[in-house]
Amino acid sequence: VQLQASGGGLVQPGGSLRLSCAASEFLLEYYAVGWFRQAPGKEREGVACIHSSSGSEPMTYYADSVRNRFTISRNDAEKTVYLGMNELQPEDTAVYSCAAGLTSCRTVLGGKADYWGQGTQVTVSS
């Protein structure tokens, strides 16, 4: 497995989770990494993305539906990108997956990535 998403689970409304997207067999530091989610009966939605570091603070992107609640970050030494999720609501329930591309967040979130990880289930329910 070259890209693995983990950290999902069951959480109550208003709760928090942190997802991890871990890379193996390639150097994640050169890649833009995006997080996606797909709820039953809905299309896949790109929720956040982070550009490669390139020696400076990497740029980030958030969908309107998660801005100010979710935070994407990366630790290139650990070859991992994180998605911190706060104030979770039932509408955040979905399978979350990650993808990495050598191009840009725009391209990755457009569905063109070099690596795709399997999803992790996030369920927000009381």
Side-chain angles (χ1 to χ4, degrees), residues 11-123:
V11 63
Q12 292 186 340
S16 300
L17 281 175
R18 188 177 77 159
L19 305 183
S20 299
C21 176
S24 61
E25 303 177 18
F26 67 98
L27 295 175
L28 191 65
E29 63 188 286
Y30 299 113
Y31 289 74
V33 178
W35 280 98
F36 299 81
R37 68 184 180 185
Q38 188 164 20
K42 294 187 176 181
E43 292 188 355
R44 185 178 65 195
E45 175 189 18
V47 297
C49 189
I50 187 167
H51 282 273
S52 61
S53 299
S54 302
S56 61
E57 191 68 23
M59 292 190 297
T60 57
Y61 161 85
Y62 297 95
D64 289 342
S65 57
V66 306
R67 187 172 292 116
N68 298 321
R69 298 190 299 123
F70 290 10
T71 302
I72 190 170
S73 60
R74 64 189 304 151
N75 184 323
D76 291 328
E78 295 181 354
K79 299 172 66 175
T80 302
V81 169
Y82 300 98
L83 184 68
M85 306 185 296
N86 296 320
E87 301 177 30
L88 285 163
Q89 300 301 319
E91 53 265 33
D92 294 315
T93 295
V95 174
Y96 286 71
S97 58
C98 57
L102 274 173
T103 51
S104 67
C105 276
R106 181 173 184 174
T107 302
V108 171
L109 292 178
K112 297 180 180 179
D114 298 290
Y115 299 100
W116 288 89
Q118 292 183 330
T120 184
Q121 176 71 45
V122 172
T123 303

